[in-house]
Amino acid sequence: MTDIRRIPDLWHRWDVTVRDLPFGLILFLVSVSPAFHGSGTQIGGLPARPFDDLTIVAVALECLPLAIRRRWPVLCMTLVSLGFALDQLRGYHEIAGTALAIALMSVGAHSERRRRVTAIVFSLGYVSLAVELHRLGGTEKVDGFALFYAALVMVWRVGSWLRSTRAAEVERRLRIAEATRTAERTRIARELHDVVTHHVTAMVVQAEAARYLTAAPDRLDATLTAVTDTGRRAITDLRHLLDLLNPDHDTQIDTPSVGDLHTLIEQTRQAGQPVKFTEEGERAETAGSAEFVAYRVVQEALTNALKYAHGNHTTVRVHYDEEEISVEVATHGPTSRTASPGGSGRGLTGLQERVDALGGHFTAHRQDGGGFLVRARIPAGSPARTHSSECSSATTTR
């Protein structure tokens, strides 16, 4: 059996002509019914005429073209206008005359080209109909014809308003789609930067150091092994990122968090950077995105330390409390912009955006005595928890 909730979807799969046809058929059947004969639109003041064979022709011309009112609105209006003219000139005054307003609204809403020419042509057609009705002895006054024309103009304007509203909605959706694509490209670029830059920087620094270790085979072997390990980690992280971008991938991907900081610090030390790592407080159970952002802050700061302050003493301090995670990474001593490949500033900008998105605060600047300082306060986004004084003051130093 067909799920009743799928009926709207199945209906919209049909061509628009098929979907518009039932209304025209229903109006046709109602119009040819004896109960409604002579109770439709009347203009011109000609005497009523009884139902005859030409009535069916007029009603058919007025009703059946409504099936193409959205596919070919001008053609629909032309056929309906001919049926309406025949209806009024013969004095049938069938209820099918209401199709004229529907067809006219459809022209205003769906016609895309030569709209002004179309309006002028149909206006001239209306004037011709009024003249012919007067010639045949109609009793309608000029003001009656003018009032009916004003009503038709209002119907046209309603259709034009629907068209402009639809166009504005399409434009809005396009802007939203473009903004979504731009945000997604930015996110992907940021993730690629975070994953690739750190590992590649470490590999470059380790490879440069290996040049000077040819006289110490053991240290050279250890350095090259570290380069290999860093490259493998880069490949693994890139595969995880590609899995995230693959819509068919249904495996849960683990994103890094502050729990992985010990591994990150150790990798940085292997690249030749002396790092002192301090953790204070107790991690919240449900810090959410805050832990991921805190990890990225430390990762980017250590990457820059490897680039511009390689070999300089670096301190990393992470403090946890009930409301936020505080991160501070500082390098000490002079920095250099020629020690390793330069950056574009995208990393610090990305960190600023990440922290701002969570309502936190981020700063990065040079220190007066030399070195660079990165600070971030990131709301944890978790419910308040009760800690003992011992847990709150626990400190781990490496």
Side-chain angles (χ1 to χ4, degrees):
M1 294 181 61
T2 302
D3 189 347
I4 192 172
R5 292 173 297 183
R6 295 187 58 197
I7 292 179
D9 292 335
L10 295 174
W11 172 253
H12 283 91
R13 290 181 183 179
W14 289 94
D15 185 80
V16 66
T17 303
V18 177
R19 286 183 275 137
D20 286 340
L21 178 60
F23 179 78
L25 290 175
I26 293 174
L27 185 59
F28 175 82
L29 295 175
V30 171
S31 299
V32 298
S33 173
F36 295 97
H37 178 61
S39 58
T41 304
Q42 180 178 356
I43 185 174
L46 291 179
R49 186 187 296 265
F51 194 94
D52 57 25
D53 293 340
L54 276 179
T55 307
I56 297 179
V57 175
V59 171
L61 280 174
E62 289 177 295
C63 298
L64 300 184
L66 292 180
I68 60 173
R69 66 185 181 88
R70 285 191 283 181
R71 177 60 58 83
W72 298 295
V74 176
L75 176 59
C76 170
M77 182 63 186
T78 301
L79 295 175
V80 172
S81 296
L82 291 175
F84 182 80
L86 180 60
D87 185 356
Q88 299 304 316
L89 291 173
R90 295 283 294 177
Y92 298 130
H93 307 146
E94 296 297 333
I95 198 172
T98 56
L100 181 68
I102 298 172
L104 183 59
M105 185 181 298
S106 298
V107 172
H110 302 290
S111 180
E112 299 293 341
R113 296 183 301 174
R114 299 177 180 176
R115 293 171 57 85
R116 181 172 298 180
V117 173
T118 300
I120 293 174
V121 169
F122 284 118
S123 296
L124 293 176
Y126 176 76
V127 172
S128 301
L129 174 62
V131 171
E132 185 62 18
L133 288 171
H134 180 72
R135 190 186 68 81
L136 292 176
T139 59
E140 190 77 62
K141 302 297 182 181
V142 175
D143 56 348
F145 286 113
L147 182 62
F148 190 79
Y149 182 78
L152 295 179
V153 171
M154 290 299 298
V155 172
W156 169 279
R157 289 189 175 275
V158 170
S160 298
W161 175 80
L162 292 174
R163 176 176 177 269
S164 62
T165 301
R166 186 175 64 250
E169 177 63 17
V170 170
E171 180 65 23
R172 185 186 69 85
R173 292 183 179 182
L174 289 175
R175 288 198 302 269
I176 292 175
E178 180 61 28
T180 301
R181 286 193 295 268
T182 300
E184 185 65 12
R185 287 195 295 265
T186 301
R187 187 186 71 84
I188 294 172
R190 186 185 298 143
E191 292 296 328
L192 285 172
H193 175 275
D194 291 342
V195 169
V196 174
T197 303
H198 177 75
H199 291 307
V200 172
T201 299
M203 291 170 65
V204 170
V205 171
Q206 291 166 342
E208 288 179 344
R211 297 180 185 177
Y212 308 100
L213 300 176
T214 54
D218 293 340
R219 294 180 61 192
L220 176 61
D221 181 71
T223 300
L224 294 178
T225 299
V227 173
T228 303
D229 292 341
T230 303
R232 287 172 177 165
R233 285 192 295 270
I235 293 173
T236 300
D237 288 347
L238 284 174
R239 284 176 177 168
H240 286 175
L241 179 58
L242 292 176
D243 287 340
L244 283 173
L245 300 177
N246 183 4
D248 298 327
H249 195 278
D250 57 0
T251 302
Q252 180 68 31
I253 302 299
D254 294 330
T255 57
S257 68
V258 291
D260 301 305
L261 285 178
H262 295 284
T263 302
L264 176 65
I265 297 297
E266 191 58 37
Q267 293 171 2
T268 307
R269 288 170 177 162
Q270 291 178 5
Q273 190 75 6
V275 181
K276 180 182 179 181
F277 180 38
T278 302
E279 284 183 302
E280 300 173 345
E282 183 179 351
R283 290 172 56 190
E285 293 180 357
T286 56
S289 299
E291 291 196 355
F292 172 71
V293 173
Y295 178 91
R296 290 304 192 202
V297 170
V298 176
Q299 184 185 52
E300 178 64 23
L302 291 179
T303 300
N304 289 335
L306 284 171
K307 283 183 179 181
Y308 310 122
H310 183 230
N312 290 5
H313 180 63
T314 304
T315 59
V316 177
R317 176 180 171 272
V318 180
H319 177 78
Y320 310 98
D321 62 26
E322 297 178 353
E323 297 182 355
E324 67 179 18
I325 301 175
S326 300
V327 177
E328 181 179 297
V329 182
T331 56
H332 307 278
T335 60
S336 171
R337 289 193 168 270
T338 59
S340 65
S344 61
R346 185 181 293 111
L348 293 179
T349 302
L351 292 182
Q352 180 78 62
E353 294 171 354
R354 288 184 191 275
V355 175
D356 288 346
L358 297 183
H361 179 70
F362 176 84
T363 59
H365 56 83
R366 294 183 181 277
Q367 300 190 85
D368 294 337
F372 205 82
L373 178 63
V374 174
R375 283 184 177 144
R377 295 200 313 272
I378 310 161
S382 61
R385 301 170 58 205
T386 302
H387 300 278
S388 65
S389 59
E390 292 81 11
C391 290
S392 301
S393 61
T395 299
T396 304
T397 304
R398 292 196 174 194

